[in-house]
């Protein structure tokens, strides 16, 4: 029998604390399993996924003008190269860092637990050593067993033709002012309410110089805690504001999700889960799962987490104008405000589903009941129904998704056609929770009854 492990989390201060108390220490709580429920065949009631009106309202709170103002402010810094220095407080990477910190600190209130701090990241590039900083905001969760999710977006920029030049223009509107704008808007909305899962929002520095900011965050913060902090997911928002090809041709209304092989990796399962969640709410973009960790010849901060064995994905626009990226041409006029708005709504919808919904079922088994293949699991107390997602081993996405009533089992003659399954719960408000780990059906088989 397989059990879901409870997450062991301790959040403590690291780096330089910025104008606030140290992150609170969270003690581990180990969950217990409920006894098996009596056999009761569940009948599929709908193939439409449940919708929570509260999430719909939060998505409607995403403001396009705030997204554009953030990008405009970052662009006006001229460059956010890690070697950029200036006596002008409005110029260079230090100006960008100060702006991001001020925006996050402004969200702190007596009613939330948002903690904001910075982490120095020593960087040597082109023979020059400097110390830019990651900016971190933490929203402590209400359920210690719900774990930690990291949402990241790098805020440095570079002109690839002048890679070691700290003063060359590098406005970085799309790459990656768009991701930072979405990150800040998501924090603004999520800081207004409490959440089950602990959320860590990170504006990474030094991505353009070898992902040094995200590597340092993992090695010098997450891994040095006792016990180490092990996020259950990392979502990287990087270049999500354009969706135009180099010839100005618009792409489909979609975001691409890059995740590491193999097809049954934790990162690929995370990408599938996000695709499922993104399809629930109006005004969002379809997530198209990609069969690689990155585009050829490119890298992203999600790869630092993948290398550490953590599930991570990158969201990026459906098509790219590569002629603008990492050049002086990556300016505000290349941003499509309506697309950026939809991309931000998509990331927020996915995050709310994974953060606040009921826990997934545990202790899955596969039996033959009355001649039918039947999945059984321990019931979830707040669940009124379940979503069963199935796929074949070679499929990059789920091929069958079924919504059932509250009975903790699912009988279907087609189960024998599939190789992998994952199950999520939803509550009486229509709030869907995170999917369980993906299970190989062959490992769940038990003696027939």
């Amino acid at each position: 029998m397989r059990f879901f492990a409870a997450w062991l989390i301790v959040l403590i201060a690291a780096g330089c604390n910025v104008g606030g108390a140290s992150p609170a220490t969270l003690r581990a709580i180990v969950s217990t399993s409920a006894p098996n429920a009596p056999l009761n065949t569940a009948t599929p009631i709908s193939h439409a996924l449940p919708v929570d009106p509260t999430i719909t309202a939060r998505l409607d709170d995403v403001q396009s003008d705030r997204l554009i103002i953030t990008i405009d402010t970052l662009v006006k810094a001229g460059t956010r190269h890690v070697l950029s220095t200036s006596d002008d407080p409005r110029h260079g990477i230090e100006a960008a860092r100060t702006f991001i910190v001020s925006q996050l600190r402004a969200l702190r209130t007596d009613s939330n637990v948002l903690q904001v701090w910075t982490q120095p990241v020593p960087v040597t590039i082109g023979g020059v050593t400097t110390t830019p900083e990651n900016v971190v905001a933490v929203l402590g969760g209400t359920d210690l067993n719900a774990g930690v999710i990291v949402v990241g977006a790098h805020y440095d920029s570079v002109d690839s033709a002048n890679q070691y030049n700290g003063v060359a223009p590098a406005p970085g509107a799309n790459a990656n002012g768009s991701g930072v704008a979405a990150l800040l808007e998501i924090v603004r909305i999520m800081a207004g309410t409490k959440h089950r899962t602990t959320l860590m929002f990170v504006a990474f520095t030094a991505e353009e110089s070898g992902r040094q900011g995200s590597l340092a965050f993992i090695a010098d913060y997450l891994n040095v805690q006792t016990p180490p902090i092990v996020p259950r997911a990392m979502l990287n928002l990087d270049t999500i504001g354009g969706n135009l090809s180099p010839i100005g041709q618009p792409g489909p209304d979609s975001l691409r999700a890059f995740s590491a092989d193999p097809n049954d990796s934790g990162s690929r399962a995370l990408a599938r889960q996000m695709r499922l969640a993104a399809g629930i709410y109006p005004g969002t973009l379809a997530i198209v799962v990609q069969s690689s960790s990155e585009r050829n010849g490119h890298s992203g901060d999600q790869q630092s987490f993948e290398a550490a064995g953590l599930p991570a994905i990158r969201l990026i626009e459906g098509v790219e104008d590569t002629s603008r990226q990492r050049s002086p041409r990556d300016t505000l006029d290349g941003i499509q405000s309506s697309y950026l708005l939809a991309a931000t709504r998509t990331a927020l919808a996915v995050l709310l589903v994974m953060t606040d919904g009921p826990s997934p079922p545990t202790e899955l088994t596969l039996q033959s009941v009355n001649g039918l293949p039947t999945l059984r699991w321990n019931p979830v107390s707040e669940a009124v129904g379940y979503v069963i997602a199935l796929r074949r081993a070679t499929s990059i996405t789920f091929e069958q998704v079924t919504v059932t009533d509250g009975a903790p089992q699912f009988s279907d003659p087609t189960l024998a056609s599939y190789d992998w399954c994952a199950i999520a719960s939803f509550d009486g408000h229509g709030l869907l929770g995170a999917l369980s780990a993906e299970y190989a059906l062959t490992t769940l088989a038990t003696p027939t009854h």
Side-chain angles (χ1 to χ4, degrees):
M1 195 70 67
R2 297 170 64 178
F3 295 85
F4 289 93
W7 294 102
L8 303 178
I9 310 161
V10 179
L11 296 177
I12 64 175
C16 175
N17 192 274
V18 181
S22 299
T25 298
L26 305 181
R27 299 296 179 187
I29 298 176
V30 180
S31 61
T32 57
S33 299
N36 287 328
L39 195 62
N40 182 17
T41 300
T43 302
I45 57 174
S46 172
H47 287 278
L49 292 167
V51 174
D52 181 2
T54 302
I55 290 185
T56 302
R58 290 179 184 171
L59 298 185
D60 289 341
D61 196 29
V62 177
Q63 297 179 15
S64 180
D65 57 344
R66 292 178 62 93
L67 295 168
I68 296 300
I69 289 170
T70 293
I71 297 175
D72 185 49
T73 303
L74 294 172
V75 166
K76 286 177 177 175
T79 178
R80 303 187 300 278
H81 194 287
V82 291
L83 297 182
S84 59
T85 58
S86 174
D87 294 332
D88 184 347
R90 298 168 298 179
H91 186 81
I93 194 169
E94 176 63 17
R97 183 203 69 86
T98 301
F99 168 73
I100 294 168
V101 170
S102 68
Q103 293 295 297
L104 292 170
R105 290 183 65 185
L107 299 175
R108 294 169 54 188
T109 68
D110 292 338
S111 61
N112 69 34
V113 290
L114 184 70
Q115 300 172 50
V116 182
W117 45 279
T118 61
Q119 178 193 17
V121 180
V123 171
T124 299
I125 178 172
V128 179
T129 299
T130 185
T131 309
E133 294 180 319
N134 292 329
V135 182
V136 185
V138 179
L139 272 173
T142 61
D143 181 355
L144 301 182
N145 286 324
V148 173
I149 294 176
V150 175
V151 185
H154 77 87
Y155 72 97
D156 61 313
S157 65
V158 69
D159 174 11
S160 58
N162 296 278
Q163 195 165 356
Y164 304 114
N165 188 333
V167 298
N174 198 14
N176 183 37
S178 62
V180 175
L183 180 80
L184 292 179
E185 186 69 350
I186 289 170
V187 180
R188 181 185 70 84
I189 293 169
M190 297 199 74
T193 54
K194 296 185 182 299
H195 305 279
R196 291 186 61 221
T197 302
T198 293
L199 296 165
M200 306 186 77
F201 301 95
V202 191
F204 291 113
T205 190
E207 190 270 352
E208 299 286 11
S209 54
R211 309 195 318 269
Q212 294 182 75
S214 54
L215 289 168
F217 180 73
I218 296 167
D220 301 331
Y221 177 64
L222 296 182
N223 289 349
V224 300
Q225 310 309 316
T226 306
I229 296 173
V230 183
R232 63 181 174 94
M234 186 273 178
L235 171 58
N236 183 27
L237 305 174
D238 193 344
T239 316
I240 60 172
N243 205 42
L244 290 174
S245 72
I247 61 172
Q249 182 71 27
D253 289 334
S254 64
L255 286 165
R256 289 172 292 165
F258 284 89
S259 59
D261 288 326
N263 198 35
D264 60 352
S265 72
S267 293
R268 188 64 49 75
L270 177 61
R272 277 189 284 268
Q273 176 171 185
M274 290 184 171
R275 179 180 183 271
L276 183 70
I280 298 175
Y281 293 94
T284 59
L285 302 172
I287 290 180
V288 181
V289 180
Q290 306 293 296
S291 59
S292 61
S293 65
E294 254 297 349
R295 301 105 75 222
N296 290 335
H298 293 266
S299 66
D301 284 319
Q302 79 283 355
Q303 292 176 303
S304 300
F305 288 80
E306 290 171 343
L310 302 171
I313 68 118
R314 174 183 182 164
L315 289 182
I316 184 173
E317 57 203 18
V319 297
E320 306 167 64
D321 184 350
T322 53
S323 69
R324 283 181 178 263
Q325 290 177 6
R326 306 175 83 215
S327 82
R329 295 187 62 240
D330 188 4
T331 50
L332 190 61
D333 63 307
I335 298 295
Q336 296 174 278
S337 59
S338 60
Y339 180 84
L340 176 60
L341 175 68
T344 304
R345 287 171 58 97
T346 304
L348 176 59
V350 165
L351 192 59
L352 287 168
V353 167
M354 294 185 61
T355 298
D356 291 337
S359 301
T362 60
E363 298 193 43
L364 275 66
T365 62
L366 178 62
Q367 303 175 5
S368 176
V369 178
N370 298 325
L372 286 176
T374 302
L375 283 169
R376 298 182 63 199
W377 53 85
N378 277 354
V380 176
S381 59
E382 64 265 51
V384 301
Y386 301 93
V387 173
I388 298 92
L390 301 165
R391 69 175 179 89
R392 295 173 179 84
T394 56
S395 178
I396 198 171
T397 59
F398 292 120
E399 298 169 280
Q400 177 178 312
V401 176
T402 304
V403 181
T404 75
D405 61 17
Q409 75 171 53
F410 173 64
S411 296
D412 192 323
T414 67
L415 276 173
S417 303
Y418 297 100
D419 303 302
W420 292 84
C421 74
I423 303 180
S425 312
F426 61 91
D427 66 18
H429 302 287
L431 177 58
L432 180 68
L435 282 168
S436 69
E438 292 188 10
Y439 288 88
L441 290 173
T442 54
T443 68
L444 300 178
T446 62
T448 56
H449 284 62

